[in-house]
């Protein structure tokens, strides 16, 4: 019988089934922090299944990661979804995930840690959408028991800006540096830490109410502006999983979550330098307003 283990992620219990994969997760950075012995599985990812990419499906998205080491594609056929990871090294088996909706994902074996980590990221992203939660590309600070999402394309300076908060803003802590989870609970946006934090090993299984979101861009000055509703949607949407955003079903779920978020919290655009004043500028705009 295949070994299984439970993980508590964003208030939900994920069951991972598959002896090699469960063994790998015991030492994969991030996941041991979320391991639990309690709860009943709400989501299941079962590895070692006989799954193949369908013929005649619609390719919704393609992208490379790990510097081109793995080529991936997201495919829809009828109302079912397939996520394919094809390594550049032909000696490494291609991995296929299959999601037909609901709370269950089937997958072939994960040949390495990268495939294992990313297959679970995609699985939680798909299953979690029905529960009103969204993995969002962000570096996330917690201050005064509220979370702030710092958004931007890779290389924009998200991690640099949050490091400036850690250095210059008392009582600021990093929750996650790559892929926290945004959720709507009782009509309010909250943010959870996750097992996916990019190159920064920052794994915290905590939940905080969301105070604000800030889209960053580099500039020769520090200037912050609150965005209107349309601008706020445009600021948040690029940080949502691009593969899911290409599908009408998942795109609708993304927009529902973003709409509920924007209705509750301010969204800013920060033009900034990589200096201490930039951290104070964003801090004062967010928490100064909340205290008044």
């Amino acid at each position: 019988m295949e070994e299984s283990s439970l993980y508590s992620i964003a208030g939900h219990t994920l069951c991972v089934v598959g002896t090699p994969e469960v063994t790998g997760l015991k030492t994969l950075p991030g996941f041991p922090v979320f391991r639990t012995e309690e709860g009943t599985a709400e989501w299941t990812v079962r590895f070692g299944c006989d799954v193949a990419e369908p013929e005649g499906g619609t390719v919704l998205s393609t992208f490379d990661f790990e510097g081109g080491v793995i080529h991936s594609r997201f495919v829809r056929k009828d109302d079912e979804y397939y996520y394919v990871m094809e390594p550049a090294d032909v000696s490494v088996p291609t991995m296929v995930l299959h999601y037909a909706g609901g709370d269950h994902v089937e997958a072939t074996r994960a040949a390495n840690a990268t495939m294992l980590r990313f297959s679970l990221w995609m699985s939680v992203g798909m299953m979690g959408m029905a529960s009103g939660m969204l993995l969002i590309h962000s570096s996330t600070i917690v201050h005064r028991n509220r979370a702030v999402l710092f958004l931007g394309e890779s290389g924009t300076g998200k991690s640099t800006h949050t490091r400036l908060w850690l250095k210059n803003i008392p009582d600021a802590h990093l929750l996650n540096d790559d892929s926290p989870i945004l959720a709507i609970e009782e009509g309010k946006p909250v943010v959870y830490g996750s097992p996916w934090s990019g190159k920064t090993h920052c794994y915290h299984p905590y939940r905080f109410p969301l105070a604000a979101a800030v889209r960053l861009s580099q500039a020769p000055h520090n200037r912050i502006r609150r965005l209107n509703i349309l601008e706020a949607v445009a600021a948040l949407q690029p940080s949502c999983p691009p593969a899911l955003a290409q599908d009408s079903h998942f795109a609708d779920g993304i927009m529902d979550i973003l709409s509920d978020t924007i209705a509750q919290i301010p969204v800013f655009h920060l033009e900034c330098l990589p200096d201490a004043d930039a951290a104070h500028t964003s801090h004062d705009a967010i928490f100064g307003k909340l205290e008044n």
Side-chain angles (χ1 to χ4, degrees):
M1 180 177 292
E2 290 272 41
E3 187 177 357
S4 64
S5 59
L6 297 177
Y7 297 87
S8 180
I9 298 176
H12 298 270
T13 304
L14 167 69
C15 179
V16 177
V17 182
T19 299
E21 289 77 17
V22 167
T23 299
L25 288 174
K26 291 177 181 177
T27 57
L28 191 64
F31 280 87
V33 175
F34 293 81
R35 178 78 172 88
T36 182
E37 300 291 341
E38 302 176 353
T40 301
E42 298 169 72
W43 303 327
T44 299
V45 180
R46 184 176 298 275
F47 293 93
C49 299
D50 184 15
V51 180
E53 182 177 359
E55 296 182 3
T58 300
V59 178
L60 299 171
S61 177
T62 63
F63 58 96
D64 295 339
F65 60 96
E66 294 292 318
V69 172
I70 296 178
H71 176 71
S72 65
R73 54 190 174 271
F74 189 53
V75 180
R76 177 176 180 172
K77 184 172 184 181
D78 300 324
D79 292 325
E80 300 184 7
Y81 299 88
Y82 298 81
Y83 182 68
V84 184
M85 287 183 279
E86 188 173 16
D89 183 351
V90 296
S91 68
V92 179
T94 295
M95 184 175 186
V96 182
L97 276 69
H98 173 228
Y99 178 61
D103 57 5
H104 187 83
V105 172
E106 295 181 331
T108 58
R109 290 292 182 201
N112 53 46
T114 297
M115 288 180 161
L116 178 56
R117 181 186 296 278
F118 205 76
S119 63
L120 290 173
W121 184 87
M122 281 295 295
S123 297
V124 168
M126 291 187 292
M127 292 186 291
M129 193 71 69
S131 301
M133 53 158 281
L134 176 66
L135 287 150
I136 189 162
H137 184 48
S138 163
S139 187
T140 304
I141 281 287
V142 172
H143 181 59
R144 297 178 185 172
N145 289 318
R146 298 184 180 95
V148 180
L149 300 174
F150 289 102
L151 314 169
E153 303 303 321
S154 297
T156 303
K158 299 184 298 297
S159 295
T160 297
H161 191 74
T162 52
R163 283 196 295 270
L164 290 167
W165 270 66
L166 297 177
K167 183 176 180 180
N168 295 283
I169 306 299
D171 190 39
H173 307 279
L174 188 66
L175 177 64
N176 186 278
D177 200 34
D178 185 73
S179 204
I181 297 172
L182 172 64
I184 305 299
E185 296 180 354
E186 298 181 351
K188 302 292 184 180
V190 299
V191 180
Y192 287 86
S194 84
W196 303 279
S197 189
K199 296 178 181 178
T200 303
H201 287 197
C202 182
Y203 307 108
H204 301 299
Y206 306 133
R207 168 191 178 276
F208 296 92
L210 180 61
V214 182
R215 190 85 182 173
L216 301 176
S217 63
Q218 298 176 359
H221 53 256
N222 295 317
R223 183 183 303 148
I224 193 166
R225 178 177 67 91
R226 183 168 179 174
L227 302 179
N228 62 38
I229 292 175
L230 292 178
E231 292 172 323
V233 172
L236 289 167
Q237 198 276 337
S239 295
C240 302
L244 301 186
Q246 299 302 313
D247 175 72
S248 58
H249 168 72
F250 289 116
D252 287 346
I254 289 172
M255 289 308 301
D256 286 344
I257 295 169
L258 296 187
S259 296
D260 288 344
T261 299
I262 292 166
Q264 300 290 329
I265 60 102
V267 180
F268 297 92
H269 176 214
L270 175 66
E271 301 171 278
C272 62
L273 293 160
D275 61 12
D277 181 64
H280 288 293
T281 297
S282 56
H283 168 271
D284 292 350
I286 298 164
F287 290 96
K289 289 181 180 296
L290 288 175
E291 291 178 343
N292 291 335

